[in-house]
């Protein structure tokens, strides 16, 4: 089939997003935005009024509404499941809270062998509401794919070991370099939990997944490969036998792109610090890519945004597949209209 006759997708499995992730021809470059479901939207703030974040994540009708909001508003090519990377940790019994403006805060940090008892495997019965939310969404979304997600073991370990968000990850690194046995035991448990969380979402109907290793850019490549990559690989391998593409993303991971691809991803997410031409050279053309508009550029006048979008599409044309996204999450004070305009521009410039 020639590219000019690529039909509009009738099913999520044949959508532009899934096809791009597999390096197949697409009707247009698919677009979605990390953190598209959230605080930049007034309808999100209204829907969330009076409901704590973790409670919201466990309420299927609310999860479905919030997940659908950016799809309706921006015309993006995929929905990202409204949840949080710490939801599966709470589901297995970790006492934590998501504090507005701060992030996840863990009541008692995990730092000893005895603490590992607090991280049993996640089983589907612990997250029946997640299955329910995904099922509602898949029904409502029709041909638009739903992206499921999980936090990768390193990033989850950082929250658990530090007890909350951290700039330097000093306790995390102290444990990793100081007690490798405990480190590997901890990450192996987190891989089981994250892998199960991904599997639940895909079995309920999600058409793609993203593994967020947001903070792993804090490590040099050799240490990534020794201390982290086997566990991220195990997380993604939990999806073996389920036919969905896997996106692997982290911030400041320019030096790790290839190793993150080799952990078992189909698509490597690129943050805004690395140009896509450089990223593609590092990836040897072996993976589709996702990215990478700097979310802060959305605060510049439209002509500056348009110029950058054109440059990104131009660089990405050499990739085996490209999913347009930001280089990290939507900032809370972003003008949502900019996201709508960027979506329309990417579609217009790439229509085949
Ligand atoms: O729109 C989407 O992307 C889907 C939902 C989503 C959320 N968190 C909702 C959320 C996703 C995919 C995440 C992933 C997540 N959570 C990551 C990886 C992505 C990244 O940005 O690197 C990380 C590191 C977390 C941990 C976390 N949870 C942080 C850093 C924060 C923000 C703290 C803050 O308030 O500034 C949260 C809370 C959170 N997760 C919010 C949302 C919409 C804000 C909660 C609120 O509205 O009060």
């Amino acid at each position: 089939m020639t590219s000019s006759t690529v039909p509009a997708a009738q099913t999520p499995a044949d959508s532009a997003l899934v096809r791009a992730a597999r390096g197949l021809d697409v009707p247009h470059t698919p677009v979605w935005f990390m953190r598209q479901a959230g605080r930049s939207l007034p309808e999100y703030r209204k829907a969330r009024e009076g409901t704590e974040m973790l409670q919201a994540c466990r309420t299927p009708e609310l999860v479905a509404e919030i997940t659908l909001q950016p799809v309706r508003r921006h015309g993006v090519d995929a929905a990202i499941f409204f949840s949080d990377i710490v939801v599966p940790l709470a589901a297995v019994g970790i006492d934590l809270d998501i504090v507005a403006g701060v992030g996840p805060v863990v009541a008692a940090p995990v730092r000893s062998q005895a603490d590992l008892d607090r991280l049993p495997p996640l089983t589907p019965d612990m997250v029946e509401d997640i299955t329910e939310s995904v099922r509602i969404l898949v029904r409502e979304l029709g041909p638009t794919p739903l992206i499921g997600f999980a936090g990768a073991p390193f990033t989850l370990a950082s929250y658990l070991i530090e007890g909350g968000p951290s700039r330097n990850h000093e306790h995390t690194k102290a444990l990793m370099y100081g007690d490798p046995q405990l480190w590997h035991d901890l990450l192996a448990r987190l891989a089981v939990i994250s892998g199960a969380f991904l599997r639940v979402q895909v079995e309920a109907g999600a058409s793609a997944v993203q593994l967020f290793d947001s903070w792993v850019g804090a490590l040099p490549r050799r240490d990534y490969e020794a201390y982290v990559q086997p566990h991220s690989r195990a997380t993604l391998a939990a999806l073996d036998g389920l036919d969905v593409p896997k996106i692997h993303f982290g911030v400041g991971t320019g030096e790790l792109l290839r190793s993150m691809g080799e952990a078992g991803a189909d698509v490597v997410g690129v943050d805004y610090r690395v140009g896509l031409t450089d990223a593609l050279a590092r990836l040897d053309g072996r993976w589709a890519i996702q990215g990478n508009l700097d979310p802060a550029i959305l605060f510049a006048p439209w002509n500056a945004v348009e110029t950058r979008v054109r440059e990104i599409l131009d660089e990405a044309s050499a990739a085996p597949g490209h999913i347009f996204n930001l280089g990290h999450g939507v900032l809370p004070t972003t003008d949502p209209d900019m996201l709508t305009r960027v979506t329309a521009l990417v579609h217009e410039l790439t229509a085949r």
Side-chain angles (χ1 to χ4, degrees), residues 30 44 75 102 127 176 184-185 192 239 266 287 309 338:
Y44 167 77
V102 176
V127 286
M176 185 178 98
H184 284 294
D185 287 353
V192 168
L239 294 173
D266 301 287
W287 289 272
V309 169
M338 289 300 250

Side-chain angles (χ1 to χ4, degrees), residues 68-330:
L68 291 167
Q69 286 174 347
V71 180
R72 288 187 202 120
R73 183 192 262 262
H74 304 307
V76 283
D77 294 274
I80 174 85
F81 187 59
F82 181 79
S83 192
D84 195 83
I85 59 169
V86 296
V87 164
L89 300 179
V92 300
I94 294 286
D95 182 3
L96 61 84
D97 197 7
I98 298 179
V99 181
V102 176
V105 175
V106 179
V110 170
R111 294 186 184 166
S112 71
Q113 195 71 39
D115 291 333
L116 297 187
D117 293 344
R118 291 194 275 135
L119 292 164
L122 179 107
T123 52
D125 57 289
M126 295 171 177
V127 286
E128 278 170 358
D129 56 292
I130 302 291
T131 295
E132 162 83 9
S133 300
V134 171
R135 285 201 179 131
I136 296 172
L137 276 163
V138 168
R139 203 162 58 226
E140 300 265 327
L141 282 163
T144 302
L146 176 69
I147 303 171
F149 75 91
F154 177 89
T155 292
L156 293 179
S158 169
Y159 284 109
L160 287 173
I161 297 167
E162 305 290 339
S166 167
R167 180 186 291 270
N168 298 314
H169 309 284
E170 55 268 54
H171 298 289
T172 309
K173 290 183 178 179
L175 199 155
M176 185 178 98
Y177 295 116
D179 192 344
Q181 181 64 53
L182 174 56
W183 171 263
H184 284 294
D185 287 353
L186 170 59
L187 264 72
R189 284 187 183 240
L190 293 172
V192 168
I193 293 170
S194 276
F197 192 60
L198 290 177
R199 203 166 168 102
V200 162
Q201 294 169 75
V202 173
E203 284 182 337
S207 297
V209 297
Q210 177 154 319
L211 187 63
F212 282 96
D213 210 347
S214 300
W215 312 137
V216 80
L219 297 182
R221 185 172 59 81
R222 215 178 336 156
D223 295 338
Y224 175 80
E225 289 178 357
Y227 294 100
V228 177
Q229 191 193 44
H231 304 291
S232 297
R233 180 178 289 126
T235 305
L236 291 171
L239 294 173
D240 282 358
L242 299 173
D243 191 22
V244 293
K246 306 170 195 101
I247 309 167
H248 198 179
F249 169 81
V251 179
T253 47
E255 301 298 328
L256 307 179
L257 294 175
R258 194 190 172 92
S259 306
M260 290 177 73
E262 285 170 349
D266 301 287
V267 183
V268 176
V270 183
D271 92 344
Y272 58 85
R273 293 168 185 81
V274 187
L276 292 187
T277 301
D278 291 338
L280 285 169
R282 291 171 194 192
L283 290 167
D284 262 349
R286 284 170 55 197
W287 289 272
I289 55 171
Q290 175 175 278
N292 75 343
L293 185 71
D294 183 344
I297 287 182
L298 297 173
F299 292 76
W302 174 249
N303 63 346
V305 176
E306 177 167 354
T307 302
R308 265 317 280 151
V309 169
R310 286 176 183 273
E311 284 167 4
I312 287 167
L313 292 174
D314 198 40
E315 293 191 55
S317 62
H322 178 219
I323 299 168
F324 190 96
N325 205 317
L326 302 179
H328 196 192
V330 175

